[in-house]
């Protein structure tokens, strides 16, 4: 009985909040476009403010904007009235969030923002409120009722405020032509950041760490070099140090099956059709895709003259967090 009650309540809340958002679709009109234009024209920062649950929503929206190309941060409305208003400069704009639009903390700020001619965007459940009427642009976050069975706890209303903020952020992403790479620059520690910012030159072994031998050496000499460098393969170069082949630990088994001895020339058993080649500026994520497609575990990094300048394997990509 208890389980079914919880499940039914969860389903009801999701349906009610989803419907509340759908009801807001007609309100995305010229006012929404004006709000976007104010934010795009802002030379300084877009400041979010609010109190209580709306303040928490404002904090999240500020974070979303900051990570998607709009310089932004949150100022708690109550603190703003006691000194933090100094954080808001003449080139900034303000987005104030309040369900009622009548919070005393925001009422204190409105005349000061007006006097300083700082653009004010309101996101409120009551467009006829003091905040709604005072703002340069007012966006409705009105809901018919809260998903709370008592119609008291901010549920549908806070979801509506958050959705309006997300809509603004996404509209600005498209208006600015914000790219995945731009996003990654704000998230260098995340998986996306690593995928879009780490290049082969960042993970490859260089210099004396590259397993490489001349094409004239024996299988014994090649194996000695390969086991020393522990990458699971070796680069074979000619007298001009140009890559002419590779030899892997998997090739060793095939070589022995063909009757190779430790004194056999490496050139007789190397793979001369080298497909596992990348440049140093290749994204490590693209290199990983190439390895999967070719079903190989290692790659050689070459310069424009086909000289090996680096090498790496799957373990190096794992250590870099690419996979």
């Amino acid at each position: 009985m208890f389980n079914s009650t919880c499940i039914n309540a969860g389903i009801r809340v999701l349906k009610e909040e989803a419907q509340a958002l759908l009801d807001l679709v007609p309100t995305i009109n010229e006012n929404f476009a004006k709000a976007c234009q104010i934010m795009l024209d802002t030379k300084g920062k877009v400041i979010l403010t609010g109190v209580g649950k709306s303040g928490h929503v404002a904090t999240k929206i500020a974070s979303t904007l900051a990570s998607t190309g709009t310089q932004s941060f949150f100022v708690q409305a109550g603190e703003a009235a006691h000194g933090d208003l100094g954080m808001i400069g003449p080139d900034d704009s303000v987005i104030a969030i309040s369900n009622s639009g009548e919070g005393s903390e925001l009422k204190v700020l409105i005349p000061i923002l007006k006097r300083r001619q700082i653009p004010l965007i309101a996101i409120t459940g009551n467009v006829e409120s003091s905040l709604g009427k005072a703002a340069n642009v007012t966006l409705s976050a009105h809901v018919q009722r809260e998903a709370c069975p008592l119609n008291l706890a901010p549920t549908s209303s806070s979801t509506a405020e958050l959705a309006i903020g997300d809509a603004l952020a996404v509209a600005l992403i498209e208006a600015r032509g914000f790219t995945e790479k731009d996003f990654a620059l704000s998230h260098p520690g995340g998986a996306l950041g690593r995928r879009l910012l780490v290049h082969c030159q960042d993970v490859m072994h260089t210099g004396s760490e590259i397993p490489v031998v001349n094409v004239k050496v024996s299988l014994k000499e090649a194996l000695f070099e390969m086991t020393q460098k522990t990458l699971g393969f070796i680069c074979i170069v000619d007298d001009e140090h140009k890559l002419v082949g590779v030899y892997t630990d998997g090739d060793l088994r095939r070589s022995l099956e063909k009757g190779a001895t430790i004194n056999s020339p490496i050139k007789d058993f190397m793979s001369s059709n080298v497909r596992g080649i990348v440049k140093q500026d290749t994204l490590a994520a693209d290199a990983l895709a190439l390895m999967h497609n070719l079903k190989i575990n290692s790659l050689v990094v070459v310069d424009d003259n086909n000289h090996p300048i680096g090498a790496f394997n799957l373990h190096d990509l794992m250590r870099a967090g690419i996979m």
Side-chain angles (χ1 to χ4, degrees):
M1 181 65 178
F2 176 75
N3 287 348
S4 62
T5 300
C6 291
I7 292 170
N8 290 336
I11 292 172
R12 187 192 73 252
V13 169
L14 292 182
K15 286 184 176 180
E16 289 187 10
E17 294 198 3
Q19 186 58 54
L21 296 185
L22 290 174
D23 290 342
L24 288 176
V25 171
T27 71
I28 304 300
N29 50 29
E30 287 301 313
N31 271 358
F32 183 83
K34 289 177 182 177
C36 292
Q37 193 61 58
I38 288 174
M39 297 169 72
L40 286 170
D41 291 341
T42 298
K43 296 179 181 178
K45 295 177 173 62
V46 176
I47 313 301
L48 275 291
T49 189
V51 179
K53 302 298 187 295
S54 293
H56 294 311
V57 170
T59 302
K60 190 274 177 186
I61 295 172
S63 178
T64 298
L65 289 171
S67 69
T68 54
T70 300
Q71 294 188 63
S72 179
F73 64 88
F74 170 74
V75 174
Q76 209 275 344
E79 296 298 327
H82 295 279
D84 284 2
L85 193 59
M87 296 179 179
I88 304 175
D91 293 329
D92 297 335
S93 61
V94 172
I95 299 178
I97 304 178
S98 171
N99 185 37
S100 70
E102 298 294 348
S104 58
E105 297 91 345
L106 290 176
K107 284 184 178 181
V108 172
L109 301 183
I110 291 172
I112 300 173
L113 295 175
K114 286 288 187 181
R115 189 158 54 245
R116 295 175 62 185
Q117 296 184 322
I118 294 173
L120 174 61
I121 299 168
I123 299 177
T124 178
N126 182 6
V127 296
E128 297 299 323
S129 62
S130 299
L131 174 62
K133 291 179 178 179
N136 297 83
V137 178
T138 299
L139 303 179
S140 175
H142 175 71
V143 297
Q144 292 297 325
R145 60 170 285 114
E146 300 289 0
C148 164
L150 303 177
N151 195 28
L152 294 174
T155 45
S156 296
S157 60
S158 56
T159 299
E161 293 166 353
L162 183 59
I164 294 295
D166 286 343
L168 289 170
V170 171
L172 264 59
I173 287 174
E174 296 185 8
R176 286 198 171 97
F178 195 78
T179 66
E180 279 190 345
K181 188 170 184 180
D182 295 324
F183 187 86
L185 290 172
S186 299
H187 302 75
L192 177 64
R194 290 191 295 273
R195 185 167 65 85
L196 295 177
L197 298 178
V198 177
H199 296 78
C200 290
Q201 63 187 0
D202 301 316
V203 300
M204 69 185 189
H205 299 266
T206 61
S208 60
E209 295 181 355
I210 304 173
V212 58
V213 295
N214 187 275
V215 69
K216 298 174 183 177
V217 305
S218 66
L219 180 58
K220 176 183 178 181
E221 294 171 284
L223 290 176
F224 183 76
E225 174 74 1
M226 185 166 67
T227 54
Q228 265 198 328
K229 303 301 169 62
T230 67
L231 287 182
F233 80 107
I234 190 168
C235 305
I236 316 297
V237 298
D238 60 18
D239 291 338
E240 296 180 350
H241 204 69
K242 291 185 177 182
L243 186 70
V244 293
V246 293
Y247 189 84
T248 70
D249 47 12
D251 290 327
L252 176 60
R253 175 182 55 79
R254 289 184 286 272
S255 299
L256 295 175
E257 289 175 349
K258 294 178 181 178
T261 68
I262 58 174
N263 295 318
S264 299
I266 189 65
K267 66 179 181 181
D268 291 347
F269 300 97
M270 70 181 187
S271 300
S272 55
N273 180 25
V274 185
R275 294 184 294 166
I277 297 176
V278 291
K279 296 296 182 68
Q280 63 180 353
D281 59 353
T282 301
L283 284 172
D286 291 339
L288 176 61
L290 177 64
M291 294 165 82
H292 282 316
N293 290 337
L294 296 179
K295 295 181 173 58
I296 58 178
N297 296 323
S298 308
L299 290 175
V300 184
V301 183
V302 297
D303 61 17
D304 292 338
N305 296 314
N306 206 37
H307 297 145
I309 58 172
F312 61 91
N313 58 22
L314 284 175
H315 296 294
D316 297 312
L317 295 180
M318 290 177 64
R319 281 191 290 269
I322 305 302
M323 55 182 301

